[in-house]
């Protein structure tokens, strides 16, 4: 509650703070959704870590698939910009 209140205060007039529940992702499932998204990105050869978000030195595909080898799909030319969850 304290963090949400502070983010709301800092973003007043610039952004709206919403909970994952408001966006259709139950709070108790958000970690599972996050790992599913990271797995999907890795499967498609897309970075799951980008400098602007994590401060990493470069964008990187996270993890690896076993058996080892190249990903089944080439790296996407344009990474996805949003995730739509359908119930």
């Amino acid at each position: 509650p304290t963090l949400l209140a502070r983010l709301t205060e800092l973003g007043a007039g610039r952004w709206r703070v919403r909970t994952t529940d408001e966006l259709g992702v139950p709070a108790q499932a958000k970690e599972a959704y996050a790992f599913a998204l990271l797995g999907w990105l890795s499967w498609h050869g897309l970075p799951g870590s980008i400098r602007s978000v994590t401060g990493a030195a470069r964008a990187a595909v996270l993890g690896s698939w076993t058996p080892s080898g190249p990903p089944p799909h080439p790296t996407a030319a344009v990474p996805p910009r949003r995730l739509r969850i359908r119930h």
Side-chain angles (χ1 to χ4, degrees), residues 39-46 61 65 69-77:
W40 184 88
L41 291 170
S42 295
W43 180 259
H44 291 282
L46 297 169
V61 175
W65 292 91
H73 304 285
T75 302

Side-chain angles (χ1 to χ4, degrees), residues 22-35:
E22 291 178 76
L23 299 172
V25 178
Q28 291 184 339
K30 65 185 172 191
E31 184 176 7
Y33 275 96
F35 277 97

Side-chain angles (χ1 to χ4, degrees), residues 34-56 58-63 75 79-80:
F35 277 97
L37 173 60
L38 290 173
W40 184 88
L41 291 170
S42 295
W43 180 259
H44 291 282
L46 297 169
S49 173
I50 55 174
R51 187 177 190 159
S52 64
V53 175
T54 64
R58 61 180 173 76
V61 175
L62 302 176
T75 302

